[in-house]
């Protein structure tokens, strides 16, 4: 059996955990497996290429969706299939197309409904707890 420190991860897994777009990483990163120690080091002391990717992109779809405040499905409905740079995301936010306005409203409504359901469940649980006390 190996220790937890000697486990390695595929580059795609590490890129996902770091929130970066794998095809934009250096070839040596894409071709190697990364140990958990190396991953921790990347998080603690990111090299210049990693800091630049996080700052300027291109960003993977989950990061793009978060920055635009829409769902990943909303990106697909809006026709955004590829990674976007920070500049492209900023341009979309400064002059939002109709699909983005619609998807942001939809996303906000879904989040509000999820919060309402969560709050209602908490109220029911509190009422149940008071009844048992």
């Amino acid at each position: 059996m190996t220790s937890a420190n000697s486990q390695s991860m595929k580059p795609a897994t590490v890129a996902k955990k770091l929130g970066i777009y794998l095809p934009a990483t250096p070839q040596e990163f894409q071709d190697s497996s990364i140990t958990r120690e190396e991953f921790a080091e990347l998080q603690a002391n990111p090299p210049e290429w990693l800091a630049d990717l996080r700052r300027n992109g291109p960003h993977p779809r989950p990061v793009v969706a978060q920055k635009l405040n829409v769902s990943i499905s909303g990106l697909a409905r809006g026709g955004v299939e590829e990674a976007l740079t920070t500049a492209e995301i900023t341009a979309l936010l400064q002059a939002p197309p109709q699909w983005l306005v619609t998807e942001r409203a939809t996303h906000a409504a879904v989040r509000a409904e999820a919060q309402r359901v969560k709050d209602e469940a908490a109220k029911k649980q509190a009422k149940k707890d008071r009844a048992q006390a």
Side-chain angles (χ1 to χ4, degrees), residues 29-46:
F29 178 85
Q30 295 179 38
D31 294 340
S32 63
S33 62
I34 292 94
T35 66
R36 295 203 181 270
E37 285 179 347
E38 292 167 334
F39 174 69
E41 181 63 24
L42 283 173
Q43 286 182 307
N45 300 308

Side-chain angles (χ1 to χ4, degrees), residues 114-124:
Q115 185 63 47
R116 184 193 68 76
V117 169
K118 182 179 176 183
D119 291 346
E120 190 161 315
K123 285 180 188 175
K124 284 183 181 178

Side-chain angles (χ1 to χ4, degrees), residues 79-102:
V80 178
E81 299 290 330
E82 69 283 347
L84 298 179
T85 64
T86 301
E88 292 168 326
I89 293 168
T90 302
L92 280 173
L93 289 171
Q94 288 176 347
Q98 185 56 45
W99 71 264
L100 182 56
V101 173
T102 303

